Amino acid sequence: MSHRNIILIGPMGSGKSTIGNIIARRLHREFQDSDQFIEKRTGVDIARIFDIEGEQGFRDRESNALIELLSQDNRVIATGGGSVLRKENQKLLKQRGYIIFLDTSVNQQMSRLARDKKRPLLQTENPRERLETLLQERRPIYLDLADLAVKTDKRAARRLAADIINQLPDNLT
């Protein structure tokens, strides 16, 4: 069995934290969510970091969190949607794990994030337009990095996690 990390990437609301948690439990691995890690480390939520340090400051913290989280093996890690934007993060993700892209439509994101007021990038007049722009920008990066891409729309988390586990290379399960 490989102790390589399993890393979940994808847009906000794609289910990275939920699916990652299920996969980690089933494979008896530690689960880490990079956003939760940052919040625990700083003592404030992501929105507050955006307010104080801007997106650039948050991205710096995110890069540092990834370095720390990926310094150990045998974890399932849910990344922030924008963590793939920096080349150094892309390289680190590729080196340190098996990458799964949770491919989600904007409609699915809208329904999952409708009541979420904690997402700094969605605090805008037109959240749908913002999600569409982000997806256009990031989807090619997600696809390029992914060892496995999985459509998540209208799929139950447990069933999706089971499907992902079934598609993992034998050395990861």
Side-chain angles (χ1 to χ4, degrees):
M1 171 174 133
S2 168
H3 295 291
R4 216 165 145 218
N5 292 306
I6 296 169
I7 302 166
L8 301 175
I9 63 172
M12 64 180 101
S14 60
K16 298 179 299 285
S17 300
T18 304
I19 304 296
N21 228 318
I22 296 167
I23 290 171
R25 278 199 314 271
R26 292 202 180 151
L27 297 180
H28 309 288
R29 290 175 176 239
E30 179 187 354
F31 174 72
Q32 289 282 343
D33 176 294
S34 66
D35 284 350
Q36 289 173 359
F37 182 84
I38 293 166
E39 288 180 342
K40 203 177 282 177
R41 185 57 53 92
T42 60
V44 296
D45 65 17
I46 301 299
R48 186 94 176 104
I49 295 169
F50 264 77
D51 286 347
I52 296 168
E53 301 178 5
E55 185 170 357
Q56 185 68 38
F58 172 72
R59 296 290 170 216
D60 292 343
R61 288 184 180 279
E62 187 173 57
S63 293
N64 291 332
L66 285 175
I67 290 167
E68 200 167 328
L69 289 171
L70 292 167
S71 68
Q72 292 184 33
D73 289 326
N74 206 32
R75 288 177 163 169
V76 176
I77 298 169
T79 62
S83 63
V84 300
L85 294 173
R86 291 186 172 178
K87 290 280 183 214
E88 65 267 25
N89 291 354
Q90 293 174 20
K91 190 175 171 198
L92 182 66
L93 292 166
K94 279 300 241 188
Q95 288 171 344
R96 300 291 305 156
Y98 183 86
I99 301 172
I100 301 165
F101 167 36
L102 299 184
D103 194 1
T104 306
S105 71
V106 171
N107 283 342
Q108 183 80 52
Q109 285 179 278
M110 288 296 293
S111 72
R112 286 188 182 152
L113 299 170
R115 290 171 301 286
D116 190 334
K117 300 294 177 237
K118 289 186 171 174
R119 311 271 180 163
L121 294 176
L122 288 187
Q123 304 316 307
T124 174
E125 287 294 307
N126 190 338
R128 173 177 290 280
E129 190 180 320
R130 172 61 62 85
L131 288 173
E132 286 168 354
T133 302
L134 290 172
L135 193 60
Q136 227 173 354
E137 208 176 82
R138 297 173 180 180
R139 193 167 189 275
I141 302 169
Y142 294 141
L143 286 168
D144 185 53
L145 288 173
D147 295 303
L148 174 65
V150 182
K151 292 267 187 212
T152 67
D153 282 22
K154 298 183 175 78
R155 309 234 7 234
R158 281 186 183 67
R159 182 159 299 139
L160 187 57
D163 285 353
I164 289 169
I165 290 169
N166 288 335
Q167 293 180 64
L168 290 173
D170 290 342
N171 66 345
L172 287 175
T173 56

